[in-house]
Amino acid sequence: MHINEIIKILDATPVTGELCKHREEDFHYAFSSDLMSDVLRLSTDNTILITGLCNVQTIRTVEMAEIKLVILARGKKADDSMIELAKENDICILETDYSVYKVSGELYSGGVKPIY
Amino acid sequence: MIYSFDIESGNFTGAGHASSSVKKILKQLNVDNSIIKRVVVALFEAEINVVAHADHGNIKIILDNQEIRMIVKDKGPGIPDIGMAMKEGYSTASQKVREMGFGAGMGLPNIKRNTDEFNIESIVGEGTCLEMAVYLN
Ligand SMILES: Nc1ncnc2c1ncn2[C@@H]1O[C@H](COP(=O)(O)OP(=O)(O)O)[C@@H](O)[C@H]1O
Ligand SMILES: [Mg+2]
């Protein structure tokens, strides 16, 4: 799925601004987790992280795991330090009020595959 | 080349700083992405462990054309039973660590999976030393 399509179906806010709009690539895989050690076990590239865990370590983990798109679910809001770190590392953050379950379902229906 | 970084305990905002710097260095050296990922995942988990479980620590990275060697040494409570600590799911992490998305007892097993060499030594009441290496070829 393309990021613009994801933003639309999730009614999401791209808090990293311009960085999100110019994302060309399609995302093929997603993973939902609030446990960062599990995120660090993934070996698939170009994965979306769907999470309700909202702190600077979420973004650090994503940086180490080479993930470029994070969807903060259930109304969680990224703070300035998260946004700054994300921008530094070319990571997009989307915020949505939908639950992790709903976000996962919408992306799945849109053709985004699970990793396992 | 040798690089050295200090780690402060309890500083969850700063945790990951060293791993992030190492990632940038390795990228600049054009190291293969899959190797970079293994290095930074192992290092990041080790860094988180110092922040979460010890008092303070130091990371030393030794780079040559064969391998990336990482030595993470801390002053802290040490690990009484290393066999137990290496088990998936074993954790003594605080609520605060769990709130940061860690503390499910997957750190040390993750480190082992991602490294070609892994050695852990610990003295109770003094501290812990992890030595890890990822080979370049
Ligand atoms: N540097 C350290 N100093 C003291 N204890 C440690 C250290 N690293 C790990 N441990 C102990 O080993 C356990 C397992 O570590 P780990 O697998 O990383 O899981 P977690 O950090 O999620 O608890 C920790 O809960 C802790 O009891
Ligand atoms: Mg750990």
Side-chain angles (χ1 to χ4, degrees):
Chain A
M1 270 180 122
H2 189 269
I3 187 151
N4 291 337
E5 210 182 329
I6 296 174
I7 291 171
K8 211 165 97 195
I9 61 166
L10 298 179
D11 196 14
T13 312
V15 287
T16 40
E18 285 302 301
L19 200 70
C20 295
K21 290 196 199 106
H22 299 133
R23 200 108 251 173
E24 294 293 333
E25 75 268 37
D26 277 333
F27 291 91
H28 301 294
Y29 291 96
F31 187 73
S32 308
S33 180
D34 283 356
L35 180 60
M36 294 303 111
S37 284
D38 279 347
V39 176
L40 290 170
R41 298 196 127 199
L42 306 176
S43 53
T44 327
D45 279 344
N46 214 7
T47 302
I48 303 168
L49 175 65
I50 303 162
T51 187
L53 186 85
C54 182
N55 60 49
V56 78
Q57 286 311 323
T58 310
I59 309 303
R60 275 287 180 217
T61 300
V62 158
E63 176 194 353
M64 303 308 158
E66 285 288 332
I67 288 171
K68 293 294 180 194
L69 174 57
V70 186
I71 300 173
L72 296 176
R74 45 177 195 268
K76 299 288 187 274
K77 303 280 183 246
D79 65 17
D80 290 346
S81 62
M82 291 170 70
I83 295 171
E84 195 184 322
L85 188 62
K87 283 182 174 169
E88 245 173 63
N89 290 287
D90 191 35
I91 294 162
C92 292
I93 305 176
L94 303 184
E95 294 172 349
T96 175
D97 288 337
Y98 295 172
S99 65
V100 167
Y101 180 67
K102 176 150 178 170
V103 172
S104 305
E106 292 287 352
L107 295 195
Y108 193 94
S109 306
V112 179
K113 291 190 279 285
I115 293 170
Y116 57 84
Chain B
M1 278 171 287
I2 299 180
Y3 301 89
S4 176
F5 304 89
D6 287 327
I7 318 169
E8 253 180 89
S9 171
N11 179 0
F12 282 100
T13 314
H17 202 83
S19 310
S20 178
S21 305
V22 169
K23 185 176 174 183
K24 288 181 181 103
I25 292 166
L26 296 179
K27 272 213 174 345
Q28 254 169 11
L29 293 171
N30 271 322
V31 173
D32 189 79
N33 272 333
S34 63
I35 289 177
I36 296 181
K37 189 166 167 189
R38 288 169 55 209
V39 168
V40 300
V41 165
L43 197 58
F44 184 46
E45 288 280 16
E47 211 180 330
I48 291 281
N49 276 356
V50 175
V51 173
H53 307 295
D55 297 334
H56 59 93
N58 174 270
I59 298 181
K60 194 172 269 171
I61 309 288
I62 306 161
L63 272 178
D64 61 30
N65 51 17
Q66 305 285 321
E67 61 172 33
I68 299 152
R69 187 160 291 272
M70 303 165 264
I71 298 158
V72 182
K73 202 172 177 172
D74 70 56
K75 295 236 178 302
I79 304 174
D81 185 342
I82 290 175
M84 194 72 139
M86 289 304 302
K87 286 212 175 87
E88 286 189 6
Y90 175 82
S91 176
T92 61
S94 65
Q95 185 56 29
K96 195 168 169 216
V97 175
R98 287 172 210 275
E99 277 163 16
M100 298 308 292
F102 292 89
M106 302 302 285
L108 290 172
N110 265 2
I111 294 171
K112 195 170 161 60
R113 285 167 96 232
N114 280 290
T115 49
D116 295 307
E117 278 178 40
F118 172 79
N119 184 52
I120 177 167
E121 276 168 27
S122 192
I123 300 172
V124 172
E126 287 187 22
T128 302
C129 184
L130 250 64
E131 180 161 349
M132 308 163 270
V134 173
Y135 302 147
L136 288 170
N137 293 301

